[in-house]
Amino acid sequence: MSEEPPHRTNPTTPTSPTTPTTPRPDPDPDPDPDPAADRDRHRHRTVRTDPELRRVVTASVVGTALEWYDFFIYGTAVVLVFNDLFFVQDDPAAGTLIGLATFGVGFVFRPVGGFLFGALGDRIGRRSTLVVTTLVMGLSTGLIGLLPPYASIGVAAPVLLTLLRVCQGLGAGAEFGGASTLLAEHAPAERRGFYASFAQTGVQAGLVLGTVVFLLVGLLPRESIQSWGWRLPFLISFVLIAVSLYLRLRVAESPVFRRMQEKKTVVRLPVREALRRYPRSFLVGVGAHICDTSVVYIYATFSVSYLTTQVGQPKWVALTGVISFGLVVIALQPVYGALSDRIGRRPLNLFSVVFTGLFAYPFFVLLDTGVPVVIWLALIVATALGLAPMIAVQPVFYAELFGARVRYTGFAASRETGAALAGFSPFVAAALLGYADGDPWLVAAFMAATAVVSLVAFLYSKESRQTDVGLEDHAPAAPGGR
């Protein structure tokens, strides 16, 4: 494997005095004497205050929210409904365990989607690929709402459900990487972390939306939920497809990708190129996603099962806690994203994983009090100080790991490989809880172990906020560099 090429940083405020397309003039001249480079760089920066940037942000937030709504509702349905309707067992706990295993199947196929659609995004464009992933995710989710249960078609029911979960995994594997790449390549360099963080805002909005829908469905009589009520969150996806497609089709392609098309420098085999040119970045990307993937599903999925079965809380307490922390995390995403533009990506990443590992056991101690307010506080503190910084920085962190020619592939493939390794966390947590006879200390130890893995990845990473994402090939700054 070859070494990554030398780093080149963006000038502080590049502009072109001969092309007055930017609403806010910049008094500093471009130090690059090459006119072609000047035109290319200026073309990338004309979106700084253009309404196009607002459309990109809106489409990314709404589109990502709707796609991850699709992905998240499966996990909630597993612990509330699917264990009875699709994974019929004499022992309800066994049904939940099997259901959580199929929840993890979606993560196994996320790197496949990352490689497949990531390569497509580096060849035909970021926006076009996001349109495809929207259709894959939306249709597979809607079809889940039409499936007959185990009582009607027997073993075919869980088989079909698992196949549709596979399709969800393929779509999810490219969604976040594509939305984040599009945002990072449209955003002005000095506010890239702020704008890119909105991709993660959409993910959390999808989590909240899915939980709210199931909270409302939970108000129905149990018989209604078991017969038809559970289908509603999935059938809504058919409507959400149209909304997402409408927004994404109105967004312009990334100026960085357009420039590569004009210069005819688009890579034919981006997967091979990404692995050959950026081996270090790929490994960092895999490890960096281990902790947040593990803990977010423990907070959002496993905790619902733990609170209802082990602590004896009603479902509304657990679901309200998930909604509460989701809203807090949404509010904090642009805050942490903007902070990363000032102090760097690396400090926030390091702080978040250290806090997550240290707070793992106290988190379960607070849940075990059985006091709703304390439970909600535990979820909010764990996510506001541990999860939120990590995921807010994530979109820009991954975008800056790879050069423009293989950015979508490298981003999606490395991140989703990490997701595949950690996506079975609810299943692992449930198994560890059973092994410890209901004591959560092993689950806490597991959370701390994932934090250590990501800590190593972040220690091995380099500060990258000065990276020029318009460069076709680049390497981040040296460790600890500005």
Side-chain angles (χ1 to χ4, degrees):
M1 294 185 180
S2 64
E3 292 295 323
E4 297 173 358
H7 174 58
R8 178 183 176 186
T9 57
N10 234 354
T12 305
T13 51
T15 186
S16 170
T18 61
T19 313
T21 55
T22 306
R24 290 183 292 185
D26 192 330
D28 296 332
D30 191 334
D32 194 332
D34 183 357
D38 179 80
R39 286 194 300 273
D40 283 344
R41 190 176 295 109
H42 179 71
R43 187 184 297 118
H44 173 53
R45 290 179 61 85
T46 57
V47 298
R48 291 186 57 137
T49 57
D50 197 296
E52 183 178 296
L53 181 55
R54 292 194 292 271
R55 287 196 295 271
V56 173
V57 171
T58 301
S60 294
V61 171
V62 176
T64 305
L66 299 185
E67 290 220 31
W68 286 92
Y69 160 85
D70 291 346
F71 195 77
F72 279 127
I73 59 174
Y74 187 97
T76 305
V78 161
V79 298
L80 298 181
V81 181
F82 286 171
N83 56 340
D84 294 326
L85 295 179
F86 287 90
F87 308 106
V88 179
Q89 299 284 324
D90 294 333
D91 181 5
T96 300
L97 204 60
I98 295 172
L100 289 175
T102 65
F103 175 77
V105 166
F107 289 88
V108 173
F109 284 87
R110 277 173 58 173
V112 178
F115 278 107
L116 176 65
F117 291 114
L120 196 64
D122 283 325
R123 293 199 63 181
I124 70 170
R126 289 53 162 130
R127 190 199 72 160
S128 300
T129 304
L130 283 172
V131 170
V132 175
T133 63
T134 297
L135 290 171
V136 171
M137 178 67 87
L139 290 174
S140 58
T141 304
L143 289 174
I144 289 177
L146 298 176
L147 285 180
Y150 186 95
S152 299
I153 60 173
V155 72
V159 170
L160 290 173
L161 181 63
T162 303
L163 287 176
L164 290 174
R165 180 60 176 171
V166 167
C167 293
Q168 282 190 320
L170 292 174
E175 163 59 31
F176 185 79
S180 300
T181 296
L182 198 61
L183 277 169
E185 292 180 349
H186 270 282
E190 68 276 9
R191 302 197 70 194
R192 191 185 304 133
F194 170 75
Y195 281 111
S197 70
F198 283 99
Q200 195 62 258
T201 300
V203 175
Q204 300 309 307
L207 169 63
V208 171
L209 179 61
T211 308
V212 168
V213 169
F214 264 103
L215 186 61
L216 295 175
V217 168
L219 299 177
L220 296 170
R222 179 171 175 78
E223 295 75 16
S224 298
I225 296 175
Q226 296 288 98
S227 61
W228 58 269
W230 69 269
R231 300 181 183 276
L232 295 179
F234 294 92
L235 295 176
I236 289 173
S237 183
F238 286 127
V239 179
L240 301 183
I241 292 176
V243 177
S244 185
L245 287 176
Y246 170 76
L247 291 170
R248 284 184 164 165
L249 288 172
R250 295 179 69 242
V251 170
E253 180 55 84
S254 155
V256 174
F257 185 80
R258 290 201 308 267
R259 185 167 68 250
M260 290 192 297
Q261 285 182 312
E262 293 169 5
K263 295 168 64 179
K264 301 186 185 304
T265 56
V266 174
V267 179
R268 291 186 58 191
L269 298 173
V271 173
R272 183 182 67 183
E273 190 71 8
L275 294 175
R276 182 185 71 84
R277 190 173 290 272
Y278 299 100
R280 174 190 180 125
S281 293
F282 191 88
L283 290 175
V284 167
V286 172
H289 198 39
I290 296 293
C291 179
D292 71 282
T293 299
S294 297
V295 300
V296 73
Y297 291 108
I298 287 177
Y299 297 147
T301 301
F302 173 76
S303 67
V304 175
S305 175
Y306 180 80
L307 288 169
T308 54
T309 61
Q310 297 294 319
V311 186
Q313 293 295 304
K315 292 177 181 178
W316 70 265
V317 171
L319 294 177
T320 302
V322 174
I323 293 170
S324 298
F325 87 66
L327 293 174
V328 170
V329 170
I330 288 172
L332 289 174
Q333 293 306 280
V335 176
Y336 284 128
L339 184 60
S340 78
D341 287 326
R342 295 181 63 86
I343 69 172
R345 327 302 186 198
R346 203 164 179 261
L348 286 174
N349 282 330
L350 293 173
F351 169 80
S352 61
V353 290
V354 170
F355 179 87
T356 297
L358 294 177
F359 193 68
Y361 188 73
F363 170 73
F364 282 102
V365 172
L366 294 174
L367 293 190
D368 286 341
T369 63
V371 180
V373 174
V374 176
I375 291 170
W376 299 333
L377 181 63
L379 286 164
I380 290 172
V381 170
T383 53
L385 297 179
L387 180 67
M390 197 180 341
I391 63 175
V393 177
Q394 194 173 94
V396 71
F397 172 77
Y398 277 89
E400 292 167 349
L401 281 176
F402 302 92
R405 295 198 300 166
V406 297
R407 176 165 295 123
Y408 200 151
T409 302
F411 187 139
S414 65
R415 180 180 183 272
E416 303 311 330
T417 299
L421 295 174
F424 283 88
S425 63
F427 173 81
V428 172
L432 291 174
L433 189 69
Y435 182 79
D437 296 325
D439 192 317
W441 74 270
L442 281 178
V443 181
F446 169 70
M447 294 170 65
T450 65
V452 170
V453 172
S454 290
L455 176 63
V456 172
F458 290 135
L459 288 172
Y460 193 59
S461 71
K462 302 175 181 180
E463 181 53 59
S464 60
R465 69 187 176 101
Q466 295 289 343
T467 297
D468 182 355
V469 297
L471 293 177
E472 294 177 0
D473 297 302
H474 78 271
R482 293 182 58 81

